[in-house]
mmCIF file of all heavy atoms in Angstrom:
data_model
loop_
_atom_site.group_PDB
_atom_site.id
_atom_site.type_symbol
_atom_site.label_atom_id
_atom_site.label_comp_id
_atom_site.label_asym_id
_atom_site.label_seq_id
_atom_site.Cartn_x
_atom_site.Cartn_y
_atom_site.Cartn_z
ATOM 1 N N SER A 409 -9.609 15.587 -11.048
ATOM 2 C CA SER A 409 -8.474 14.946 -11.465
ATOM 3 C C SER A 409 -7.408 15.821 -12.205
ATOM 4 O O SER A 409 -6.338 15.404 -12.390
ATOM 5 C CB SER A 409 -8.723 13.820 -12.416
ATOM 6 O OG SER A 409 -9.530 12.819 -11.805
ATOM 7 N N ALA A 414 -5.883 16.245 -7.009
ATOM 8 C CA ALA A 414 -5.275 15.034 -7.586
ATOM 9 C C ALA A 414 -3.780 15.122 -7.449
ATOM 10 O O ALA A 414 -3.066 14.204 -7.171
ATOM 11 C CB ALA A 414 -5.641 14.990 -9.038
ATOM 12 N N ASN A 418 -1.444 12.407 -5.968
ATOM 13 C CA ASN A 418 -0.473 11.745 -6.745
ATOM 14 C C ASN A 418 0.885 11.930 -6.139
ATOM 15 O O ASN A 418 1.705 11.028 -6.152
ATOM 16 C CB ASN A 418 -0.446 12.393 -8.162
ATOM 17 C CG ASN A 418 -1.633 11.926 -8.921
ATOM 18 O OD1 ASN A 418 -2.441 11.185 -8.494
ATOM 19 N ND2 ASN A 418 -1.733 12.437 -10.158
ATOM 20 N N TRP A 493 3.461 18.370 -10.542
ATOM 21 C CA TRP A 493 2.346 17.641 -11.368
ATOM 22 C C TRP A 493 1.753 18.526 -12.464
ATOM 23 O O TRP A 493 1.074 18.077 -13.391
ATOM 24 C CB TRP A 493 1.319 16.909 -10.600
ATOM 25 C CG TRP A 493 1.921 15.727 -9.825
ATOM 26 C CD1 TRP A 493 2.452 15.791 -8.563
ATOM 27 C CD2 TRP A 493 2.024 14.370 -10.343
ATOM 28 N NE1 TRP A 493 2.914 14.542 -8.297
ATOM 29 C CE2 TRP A 493 2.696 13.748 -9.239
ATOM 30 C CE3 TRP A 493 1.627 13.741 -11.436
ATOM 31 C CZ2 TRP A 493 2.905 12.277 -9.429
ATOM 32 C CZ3 TRP A 493 1.894 12.377 -11.570
ATOM 33 C CH2 TRP A 493 2.458 11.657 -10.615
ATOM 34 N N ASP A 522 -5.008 5.929 -17.741
ATOM 35 C CA ASP A 522 -4.518 5.798 -16.388
ATOM 36 C C ASP A 522 -3.786 7.110 -15.953
ATOM 37 O O ASP A 522 -2.997 7.103 -14.939
ATOM 38 C CB ASP A 522 -3.643 4.525 -16.176
ATOM 39 C CG ASP A 522 -2.514 4.513 -17.193
ATOM 40 O OD1 ASP A 522 -2.386 5.437 -17.977
ATOM 41 O OD2 ASP A 522 -1.640 3.622 -17.093
ATOM 42 N N THR A 523 -3.874 8.021 -16.819
ATOM 43 C CA THR A 523 -3.161 9.335 -16.356
ATOM 44 C C THR A 523 -4.174 10.446 -16.675
ATOM 45 O O THR A 523 -5.114 10.340 -17.526
ATOM 46 C CB THR A 523 -1.874 9.651 -17.179
ATOM 47 O OG1 THR A 523 -2.207 9.473 -18.532
ATOM 48 C CG2 THR A 523 -0.815 8.678 -16.829
ATOM 49 N N SER A 524 -4.065 11.539 -15.969
ATOM 50 C CA SER A 524 -4.978 12.689 -16.209
ATOM 51 C C SER A 524 -4.238 13.563 -17.242
ATOM 52 O O SER A 524 -3.115 13.806 -17.237
ATOM 53 C CB SER A 524 -5.088 13.454 -14.936
ATOM 54 O OG SER A 524 -5.629 14.759 -15.188
ATOM 55 N N LEU A 527 -2.397 16.673 -16.177
ATOM 56 C CA LEU A 527 -1.255 16.660 -15.243
ATOM 57 C C LEU A 527 -0.038 16.022 -15.828
ATOM 58 O O LEU A 527 -0.165 15.463 -16.946
ATOM 59 C CB LEU A 527 -1.696 15.916 -13.985
ATOM 60 C CG LEU A 527 -2.760 16.477 -13.140
ATOM 61 C CD1 LEU A 527 -2.936 15.666 -11.843
ATOM 62 C CD2 LEU A 527 -2.433 17.863 -12.758
ATOM 63 N N TYR A 528 1.051 16.130 -15.155
ATOM 64 C CA TYR A 528 2.283 15.449 -15.629
ATOM 65 C C TYR A 528 2.109 13.988 -15.948
ATOM 66 O O TYR A 528 1.446 13.294 -15.170
ATOM 67 C CB TYR A 528 3.434 15.688 -14.637
ATOM 68 C CG TYR A 528 4.762 15.017 -14.991
ATOM 69 C CD1 TYR A 528 5.372 15.370 -16.229
ATOM 70 C CD2 TYR A 528 5.199 13.948 -14.312
ATOM 71 C CE1 TYR A 528 6.557 14.763 -16.565
ATOM 72 C CE2 TYR A 528 6.393 13.272 -14.767
ATOM 73 C CZ TYR A 528 6.988 13.701 -15.870
ATOM 74 O OH TYR A 528 8.158 13.079 -16.263
ATOM 75 N N PRO A 530 4.234 10.737 -16.204
ATOM 76 C CA PRO A 530 5.576 10.071 -16.074
ATOM 77 C C PRO A 530 5.605 8.994 -17.245
ATOM 78 O O PRO A 530 4.615 8.484 -17.630
ATOM 79 C CB PRO A 530 5.565 9.470 -14.681
ATOM 80 C CG PRO A 530 4.213 9.721 -14.104
ATOM 81 C CD PRO A 530 3.409 10.529 -14.970
ATOM 82 N N TYR A 535 6.034 5.218 -12.633
ATOM 83 C CA TYR A 535 5.068 5.583 -11.536
ATOM 84 C C TYR A 535 4.077 4.513 -11.492
ATOM 85 O O TYR A 535 3.251 4.246 -12.329
ATOM 86 C CB TYR A 535 4.376 6.903 -11.965
ATOM 87 C CG TYR A 535 3.405 7.446 -10.890
ATOM 88 C CD1 TYR A 535 3.944 7.766 -9.658
ATOM 89 C CD2 TYR A 535 2.080 7.712 -11.088
ATOM 90 C CE1 TYR A 535 3.103 8.351 -8.595
ATOM 91 C CE2 TYR A 535 1.288 8.239 -10.161
ATOM 92 C CZ TYR A 535 1.761 8.591 -8.865
ATOM 93 O OH TYR A 535 1.018 9.087 -7.992
ATOM 94 N N GLN A 552 -8.945 5.877 -6.070
ATOM 95 C CA GLN A 552 -8.817 7.321 -6.446
ATOM 96 C C GLN A 552 -10.072 8.027 -6.103
ATOM 97 O O GLN A 552 -10.103 9.153 -5.600
ATOM 98 C CB GLN A 552 -8.431 7.450 -7.941
ATOM 99 C CG GLN A 552 -7.016 7.059 -8.131
ATOM 100 C CD GLN A 552 -6.623 7.020 -9.541
ATOM 101 O OE1 GLN A 552 -7.458 6.836 -10.540
ATOM 102 N NE2 GLN A 552 -5.272 7.181 -9.903
ATOM 103 N N LEU A 556 -10.044 11.247 -3.547
ATOM 104 C CA LEU A 556 -10.490 12.601 -4.051
ATOM 105 C C LEU A 556 -11.600 12.994 -3.299
ATOM 106 O O LEU A 556 -11.649 14.227 -2.783
ATOM 107 C CB LEU A 556 -10.786 12.575 -5.514
ATOM 108 C CG LEU A 556 -9.711 12.272 -6.515
ATOM 109 C CD1 LEU A 556 -10.158 12.226 -7.991
ATOM 110 C CD2 LEU A 556 -8.503 13.281 -6.446
HETATM 111 C C1 NAG B 3 -3.193 11.549 -10.679
HETATM 112 O O1 NAG B 3 -4.460 11.555 -10.162
HETATM 113 C C2 NAG B 3 -5.623 11.505 -10.988
HETATM 114 C C3 NAG B 3 -6.771 11.552 -10.010
HETATM 115 O O2 NAG B 3 -6.695 10.561 -9.104
HETATM 116 C C4 NAG B 3 -5.496 10.341 -11.783
HETATM 117 O O3 NAG B 3 -6.609 10.364 -12.694
HETATM 118 C C5 NAG B 3 -4.157 10.291 -12.594
HETATM 119 O O4 NAG B 3 -4.223 9.121 -13.328
HETATM 120 C C6 NAG B 3 -3.002 10.436 -11.615
HETATM 121 N N1 NAG B 3 -1.822 10.525 -12.421
HETATM 122 C C7 NAG B 3 -1.014 9.472 -12.723
HETATM 123 C C8 NAG B 3 0.136 9.681 -13.555
HETATM 124 O O5 NAG B 3 -1.388 8.454 -12.156
#
Side-chain angles (χ1 to χ4, degrees):
S409 294
N418 289 357
W493 290 87
D522 60 357
T523 51
S524 163
L527 294 187
Y528 176 65
Y535 188 58
Q552 284 172 339
L556 293 178

